[in-house]
Amino acid sequence: MEGRIEERVLHFKQPAGTSRGVYTERKIWLVHLTEDGREGIGECAPLPDLSCDALPDDVYRERLEKACEEFCRRQESQRGQSLMCSAGFAHEGQSPSDSFEALRPYPSMLFGLETAWLNLQNGNRLFDTMFSRGEVGIPINGLVWMGSYEEMLQRMEEKLEKGFRCVKLKIGAIDFDQELDLIKRIRERFSHHEVELRLDANGAFPFDEALYKLELLSQYAIHSIEQPIRQGQWAYMAELCRESPLPIALDEELIGVNDPEMKRHMLQMIKPRYIILKPSLHGGMQGCREWIETARDLGIGSWITSALESNIGLNAIAQFASDVYGDNIRMPQGLGTGQLFTDNIPMPLEIRGDQLWVKR
């Protein structure tokens, strides 16, 4: 088995605004694994100033190349041991999970290698599900990026016209009263039975203002709000989860928490209503499965979203969601980012109404 790394820069169709700044382009690394004439491809896409493995480009590439070399070496060793075993020599084999375990501190690299390995082994159908076979779609939310009041209102109108019944608004970049007015206008037109509203504050609220703002927002039948305050303030976040009239979902809070016992400890302490999983940020597919299983044990809901990956990553995340949640997904997932880039990588994905489908 051989591995190769390819760098790419993707360009946004329009600037993507968050409370941390505005993205105009996106750097990604593609991992290519080849074996016996077959190729698998995966995407490594850390987010600057957010991912726990967001290293300088040259350092990231060097670390990724070493991880890829080590993975290929381990798989070659395993194949050699398998041949010895077939000749009558006993051995204890290494599974891909052995190789992946060492990458817990590097979730974006782990996700890329997991995807490339699945693609190499299984082809384009990474997981054998009804979604990956093109038989059902996955409901998704529409995403409204931060911008001026007029921009956000226009983007909201566009999502509603396209038939989205669940819309996520990123807030925290403009005046809070304007954001409140925008939400009020939406609710005047559409009840919570017609449109589910999710909010993402990206940690924008100061703790001493957060509860007051959550109380004001609660007038408008909001489904949930992601990360109202900055991550790393577990005691404050736990207090908000106890007192908030709105269900709180954790997102950034999960970044860098890679140990299974620490995951359980954090969720038991904070007690959020939901957690939101991004494989590139939260431990790859392996780490996200741990988060989801632990959350289920504690009565905490979850859904999966992409993190500004290309269609390579989006396809893998969507197929992973269909595998981990089953064929009848009801809760909208955050998988509507495939139309963000002018130079995206073609994949057999399409949005029909408010669902993501694999083209048959």
Side-chain angles (χ1 to χ4, degrees):
M1 180 184 294
E2 294 182 351
R4 170 174 71 86
I5 309 301
E6 174 191 358
E7 293 185 24
R8 289 230 187 166
V9 176
L10 305 175
H11 300 87
F12 285 88
K13 292 179 181 177
Q14 60 185 30
T18 75
S19 61
R20 289 183 176 81
V22 177
Y23 292 108
T24 58
E25 60 181 34
R26 180 82 163 99
K27 182 73 170 284
I28 66 170
W29 286 262
L30 299 178
V31 177
H32 299 262
L33 297 178
T34 55
E35 183 179 51
D36 300 331
R38 295 173 293 119
E39 182 180 51
I41 185 171
E43 177 178 356
C44 305
L47 283 166
D49 302 320
L50 185 59
S51 298
C52 62
D53 57 353
L55 306 168
D57 286 354
D58 57 339
V59 178
Y60 187 91
R61 179 175 183 120
E62 180 181 358
R63 181 69 189 88
L64 178 58
E65 286 176 341
K66 288 181 179 178
C68 189
E69 289 170 6
E70 176 65 13
F71 180 81
C72 291
R73 185 191 66 75
R74 281 176 176 257
Q75 297 313 305
E76 285 296 322
S77 173
Q78 180 183 0
R79 184 159 68 166
Q81 289 173 344
S82 297
L83 290 172
M84 290 177 66
C85 184
S86 65
F89 296 94
H91 78 286
E92 291 187 7
Q94 295 170 316
S95 70
S97 61
D98 296 326
S99 304
F100 295 152
E101 188 67 24
L103 288 174
R104 276 188 183 271
Y106 306 96
S108 65
M109 298 183 196
L110 173 54
F111 175 59
L113 275 167
E114 286 174 318
T115 302
W117 171 254
L118 286 168
N119 189 207
L120 180 68
Q121 299 301 309
N122 304 330
N124 290 333
R125 193 176 296 167
L126 307 182
F127 299 95
D128 188 19
T129 67
M130 291 180 68
F131 169 75
S132 66
R133 296 194 297 268
E135 298 170 3
V136 298
I138 295 177
I140 61 175
N141 62 252
L143 178 60
V144 175
W145 289 97
M146 290 179 176
S148 69
Y149 177 87
E150 291 75 17
E151 288 170 337
M152 292 182 72
L153 185 60
Q154 179 185 349
R155 293 167 189 167
M156 186 72 196
E157 295 280 357
E158 290 170 356
K159 297 300 178 187
L160 297 175
E161 287 173 5
K162 288 180 179 178
F164 283 96
R165 290 169 292 178
C166 175
V167 180
K168 171 179 167 179
L169 286 84
K170 284 187 172 287
I171 63 173
I174 62 175
D175 179 72
F176 179 73
D177 288 337
Q178 285 189 303
E179 291 172 334
L180 206 60
D181 183 61
L182 174 64
I183 294 166
K184 178 183 177 182
R185 290 181 63 170
I186 294 165
R187 273 291 169 251
E188 286 173 348
R189 286 187 53 199
F190 300 96
S191 74
H192 67 281
H193 298 293
E194 297 170 294
V195 175
E196 179 179 285
L197 284 180
R198 298 176 178 175
L199 305 180
D200 184 0
N202 285 125
F205 298 166
F207 172 71
D208 58 0
E209 299 176 10
L211 189 57
Y212 172 67
K213 290 183 175 181
L214 294 175
E215 288 171 349
L216 292 176
L217 290 167
S218 68
Q219 305 172 70
Y220 302 110
I222 305 299
H223 172 271
S224 57
I225 182 166
E226 295 177 38
Q227 205 68 42
I229 62 173
R230 262 189 316 108
Q231 70 267 35
Q233 306 178 84
W234 290 10
Y236 285 160
M237 187 66 84
E239 182 178 337
L240 278 184
C241 287
R242 285 196 307 271
E243 303 296 333
S244 173
L246 285 183
I248 289 177
L250 302 186
D251 179 357
E252 289 94 332
E253 202 71 68
L254 313 180
I255 296 172
V257 183
N258 299 313
D259 177 74
E261 289 304 313
M262 186 59 72
K263 291 177 181 180
R264 179 173 291 274
H265 172 67
M266 190 193 78
L267 293 182
Q268 287 176 324
M269 177 179 175
I270 297 179
K271 296 183 175 65
R273 183 76 63 86
Y274 302 103
I275 58 172
I276 301 169
L277 287 313
K278 298 179 173 73
S280 290
L281 294 177
H282 301 135
M285 299 183 202
Q286 173 180 293
C288 285
R289 285 188 193 275
E290 291 175 353
W291 277 116
I292 291 167
E293 290 168 6
T294 302
R296 280 176 178 163
D297 287 346
L298 299 173
I300 296 168
S302 66
W303 66 87
I304 290 173
T305 82
S306 52
L308 306 182
E309 294 89 356
S310 77
N311 279 335
I312 298 289
L314 177 62
N315 175 62
I317 295 166
Q319 291 200 41
F320 170 66
S322 72
D323 183 65
V324 77
Y325 291 133
D327 291 321
N328 192 26
I329 297 176
R330 297 291 187 186
M331 178 174 283
Q333 309 292 299
L335 304 174
T337 58
Q339 300 173 317
L340 292 177
F341 304 109
T342 61
D343 44 7
N344 210 333
I345 299 167
M347 288 293 289
L349 297 172
E350 65 179 355
I351 294 177
R352 303 179 198 166
D354 65 346
Q355 293 189 337
L356 182 70
W357 287 77
V358 172
K359 297 179 185 177
R360 300 180 70 172

